[in-house]
């Protein structure tokens, strides 16, 4: 089991560029999510998905898109990078759903993104 | 909207002493999770608390949950340097009427243990 695999680990973008952060899990988890981590603000939910074909916005969705075409993959797209998107991004997955509750989330290793 | 608040946000501990981190949350939930993050690393699960009065212990860490007070505590006994890290609590909920499951985190407590 690889768990949650996130790529790349580091990325530098110029303002206005677009890119996709990849996230894949091999645990057959229904719930996947993207968080950004900024100093003093903890983890803020960007987008989440409760299953293939279903996505929804979290707390800070502006400037990001997601899709969930398969159970395994949940990519995060930055449409037009801005310096305010400089952050550390974490992908997480969990077996929890509205049916199954109380299971821990597993996190990827994080992507450190700098927008200049 | 589910809000999760931790305090303190920063905690300087002296080796050998006991400390407590508090986690308050705003919605009715019987499930609370504690995670640890080392600098530059990912988050790893410490405890899963699934009912009122739940208590879990691992080494020098003990977590408890009071769902009536919407409060969880992470107690550190006789702090040692290896416990220096950032600790996060998280709460999940199922939103009605969409039945969407969502996991929300506190801001984290950065712990530094000094000799």
């Amino acid at each position: 089991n690889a768990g949650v695999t996130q790529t790349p680990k580091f990325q530098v973008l110029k303002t206005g560029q677009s890119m996709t952060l990849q996230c894949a899990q091999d645990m057959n988890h229904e719930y996947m999510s993207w968080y950004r981590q900024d100093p003093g603000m903890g983890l803020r939910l960007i987008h989440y998905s409760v299953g293939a074909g279903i996505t929804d916005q979290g707390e800070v969705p502006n400037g990001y898109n997601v899709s969930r075409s398969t159970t395994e993959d949940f990519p995060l797209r930055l449409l037009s990078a801005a310096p305010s998107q400089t952050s550390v991004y974490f992908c997480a997955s969990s077996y929890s759903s509205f049916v199954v509750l109380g299971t821990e989330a597993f996190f990827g290793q994080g992507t450190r993104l700098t927008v200049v | 909207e589910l809000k999760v608040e931790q305090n303190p946000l920063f905690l300087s501990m002296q080796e050998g002493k006991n400390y407590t981190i508090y986690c308050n949350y705003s919605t009715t939930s019987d499930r609370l999770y504690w995670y640890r993050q080392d600098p530059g690393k990912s988050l790893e699960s410490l405890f899963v608390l699934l009912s009122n009065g739940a208590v879990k212990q691992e080494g020098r860490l003990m977590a408890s949950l009071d769902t009536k007070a919407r409060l969880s505590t992470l107690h550190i006994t006789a702090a040692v340097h290896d416990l220096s890290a950032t600790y996060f609590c998280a709460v999940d909920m199922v939103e009605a009427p969409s039945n969407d499951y969502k996991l929300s985190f506190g801001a984290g407590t950065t712990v530094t243990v000094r000799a």
Side-chain angles (χ1 to χ4, degrees), chain B residues 84-96:
Chain B
S84 295
T86 299
Y87 295 86
F88 291 92
C89 63
V91 178
D92 61 11
M93 63 181 292
V94 176
E95 291 188 327

Side-chain angles (χ1 to χ4, degrees), chain B residues 27-81:
Chain B
T27 193
T28 302
S29 176
D30 292 337
R31 299 169 302 280
L32 190 131
Y33 311 85
W34 284 97
Y35 292 84
R36 168 181 171 142
Q37 185 183 36
D38 291 307
K41 303 292 186 182
S42 187
L43 284 80
E44 62 173 313
S45 175
L46 288 174
F47 300 110
V48 177
L49 303 169
L50 298 179
S51 62
N52 185 41
V55 177
K56 294 257 181 100
Q57 183 163 5
E58 179 76 30
R60 299 175 187 274
L61 300 178
M62 184 175 72
S64 64
L65 178 61
D66 180 344
T67 60
K68 291 184 172 58
R70 299 180 185 176
L71 171 69
S72 178
T73 60
L74 181 65
H75 188 70
I76 299 170
T77 301
V80 293
H81 185 261

Side-chain angles (χ1 to χ4, degrees), chain A residues 53-92:
Chain A
I54 306 169
T55 63
D56 209 342
Q57 296 180 351
E59 183 184 352
V60 288
N62 291 341
Y64 308 95
N65 268 357
V66 292
S67 60
R68 185 95 180 268
S69 56
T70 66
T71 299
E72 294 78 18
D73 300 299
F74 190 45
L76 177 73
R77 296 182 193 85
L78 278 70
L79 308 172
S80 177
S84 61
Q85 294 178 304
T86 294
S87 187
V88 180
Y89 291 85
F90 286 99
C91 176

Side-chain angles (χ1 to χ4, degrees), chain A residues 31 35 37 40-43 45 48 50 56-57 59 90 94 96-98 101-105 107-109 112, chain B residues 1 9 31 33 35 37 40-43 45 48 50 88 92 94-95 99-108:
Chain A
Y31 182 77
Y35 297 87
Q37 183 177 28
M41 304 191 75
L43 283 89
L45 183 63
Y48 65 100
V50 297
D56 209 342
Q57 296 180 351
E59 183 184 352
F90 286 99
S94 168
S96 287
S97 68
F98 76 96
L101 295 167
T103 62
E104 61 197 339
F107 285 80
Q109 289 302 303
R112 193 170 295 272
Chain B
E1 182 187 343
L9 297 183
R31 299 169 302 280
Y33 311 85
Y35 292 84
Q37 185 183 36
K41 303 292 186 182
S42 187
L43 284 80
S45 175
V48 177
L50 298 179
F88 291 92
D92 61 11
V94 176
E95 291 188 327
N99 279 341
D100 276 355
Y101 169 85
K102 192 181 292 186
L103 179 66
S104 294
F105 284 79

